[in-house]
Amino acid sequence: MSQPEPFDDENEAFIKTLVATYVPKAVTSQEIEAHVEKDMVLKDLVAALEGGQWTEAVKCFKPFESKLFRSVDLMRSQRIIVPESLRSRILQLAHESHPGIISMKRKLRQKVWWPGMHKQVEKIVKSCKSCMIVSALDPPEPMRSTCMPESSGLRRAITVWMNLLVIVDYFSRFIEVIVLKEITAATTVKAFDETFCRFGMPETLKTDNGPQFRNGEFKSFCQEYGIEVRKSTPYWPQANGEVERVNGMIKKHLRISQVEDTDWKWNLQVQIQLLTPPQASHHLY
């Protein structure tokens, strides 16, 4: 292994200034140097850089070998390699103002480095309640078109909106709206049992993440009849677009019925008739 060329006085002075300036607030370069002397892994790293013997403890540093060197401190390019005993403290200092994952990583990358630093930043921010409250939700998965089943009854989309169980068939656009006296897994399963006995068991059900669809009774029902359950993305109702389209229509006409003081069930039945293609059946129970 070729030995690195020694620094001239000008470069040595630059490195010393860099270390003194880039050390995070409340952590001095002398403190880092003292902790490096006690860190057995970094001692092995120094030996590896000088003699080329990469032990198991320092293999995680090996991919960065060409950028590692020791001057005043152990460095990776222009960043100080922090001993393990100081990493938690430096992470907490960088997290003081709750900057978020991206800003916290950028702030640390300007000054320090160690293997796995980015993952530790993500863990701290994602476990911080204050950061979770103010952070934006993750962007939803890209929308994907649903493959059309070969015939009706094989794949259906379902949801519970207010006290209505809404069922839509992907193939025929068949719509069924069932009024539930109470919204529980037991009443939902009973409604499915009655509906599927008339029209046949589906192969797939697309559901939202409502509690009645996470209940053991609903899961047992689907397992018993070999029904595959596919969950839509949480907090992203567009992922279950078939029933959300019907829900929008229901909401609109319930409001109209309330304003005009008319029979909401009859008005909804008429609208389902208009919304459902002629070849498909439709029901409101």
Side-chain angles (χ1 to χ4, degrees), residues 100-112:
I101 291 177
I102 295 175
S103 296
M104 189 172 167
K105 284 181 179 179
R106 182 171 60 245
K107 182 178 180 181
L108 288 170
R109 277 198 304 264
Q110 293 172 352
K111 304 178 180 182
V112 297

Side-chain angles (χ1 to χ4, degrees), residues 146 157 166 168-170 173 237-247:
T146 303
V166 182
V168 182
D169 182 78
Y170 275 99
R173 297 301 189 264
Q238 295 91 327
N240 201 359
E242 286 298 325
V243 290
E244 291 304 321
R245 177 176 61 93
V246 177
N247 285 351

Side-chain angles (χ1 to χ4, degrees), residues 11 78 114 122 219 225 230:
N11 283 334
Q78 296 183 358
W114 63 85
E122 292 171 7
K219 292 179 180 179
Y225 291 101
R230 296 181 180 177

Side-chain angles (χ1 to χ4, degrees), residues 11-65:
N11 283 334
E12 192 73 30
F14 170 75
I15 294 296
K16 288 180 180 180
T17 303
L18 187 70
V19 171
T21 305
Y22 272 33
V23 170
K25 178 184 176 182
V27 179
T28 65
S29 59
Q30 292 82 4
E31 194 173 2
I32 288 183
E33 188 174 351
H35 281 260
V36 168
E37 293 301 322
K38 299 175 184 178
D39 193 305
M40 298 307 298
V41 173
L42 294 190
K43 281 187 175 182
D44 286 353
L45 178 60
V46 171
L49 292 174
E50 293 175 351
Q53 299 296 322
W54 293 85
T55 64
E56 192 66 32
V58 294
K59 276 189 176 180
C60 57
F61 292 90
K62 179 69 174 174
F64 313 100
E65 179 182 6

